[in-house]
Amino acid sequence: MKIVRRLDTTGRRCIHDSNCPAVFSLSNGDVAFIGTAASTELQNSLPQGSGIGAGENLVVVPRDVLISAGWIPPTA
């Protein structure tokens, strides 16, 4: 599995190649995110039937990154 391309546009400046939330398309068709790990903070707020499994993390991706990837409209 490899990163094929970046799906969002880079509207932010990265600090030393970090702090750069992003959305990537993977060679197997999946999508990868760079964001802030929030599993501990939000795990008690998950709706019934949802859970964070072994090897998984809940990741927060900034709204403007998803807008730039075309996933949500700017006015939503």
Side-chain angles (χ1 to χ4, degrees):
M1 174 172 42
K2 294 183 180 184
I3 293 175
V4 175
R5 67 185 177 103
R6 189 170 183 161
L7 298 176
D8 65 300
T9 58
T10 56
R12 299 172 170 223
R13 290 186 80 99
C14 295
I15 302 168
H16 306 292
D17 294 327
S18 63
N19 297 327
C20 303
V23 182
F24 300 99
S25 175
L26 302 179
S27 58
N28 67 355
D30 287 346
V31 177
F33 294 91
I34 296 175
T36 304
S39 298
T40 304
E41 179 183 352
L42 296 174
Q43 66 186 356
N44 293 328
S45 300
L46 289 170
Q48 188 170 2
S50 298
I52 302 168
E56 295 180 334
N57 289 295
L58 179 62
V59 178
V60 175
V61 178
R63 184 175 187 276
D64 62 329
V65 171
L66 298 178
I67 289 170
S68 73
W71 288 26
I72 58 173
T75 57

